[in-house]
Amino acid sequence: FDAFVDQALPELLEDKDGYLAHPDPVSSRKTTGPALLAVGPEGGWTEPEQERLTQAGLLPFGLGTRALRVEMAVPALLARLL
């Protein structure tokens, strides 16, 4: 995880908006260009993972406090971003 955040993520985020999907209050962000969406396990990201990813430049993004299955969360998150 640390190697990914330190080495790969900065390159992936180049010229993109980055969003960290996690069960949180509903976010109303809209992206206007290329974006990267980090979706974690169905239970959500751990606190240390959230902290590392937000420090790396990802903005918190949620659909509410209830955790969704990944196959349901991804289309819902994309619909909210677009």
Side-chain angles (χ1 to χ4, degrees):
F1 178 80
D2 289 331
F4 169 77
V5 173
D6 294 335
Q7 298 168 14
L9 188 56
E11 186 177 324
L12 292 170
L13 278 174
E14 196 169 304
D15 300 323
K16 296 178 191 75
D17 295 328
Y19 301 99
L20 174 63
H22 186 72
D24 275 326
V26 174
S27 300
S28 59
R29 303 185 197 279
K30 295 288 184 185
T31 189
T32 58
L36 179 131
L37 178 61
V39 178
E42 292 173 4
W45 300 96
T46 65
E47 288 293 325
E49 290 170 338
Q50 288 180 66
E51 187 175 313
R52 290 275 288 130
L53 291 166
T54 54
Q55 287 173 352
L58 298 179
L59 300 170
F61 186 72
L63 297 172
T65 56
R66 182 179 172 166
L68 300 174
R69 294 179 57 94
V70 172
E71 60 267 18
M72 298 302 293
V74 170
L77 288 161
L78 292 175
R80 172 85 55 185
L81 280 172
L82 300 176

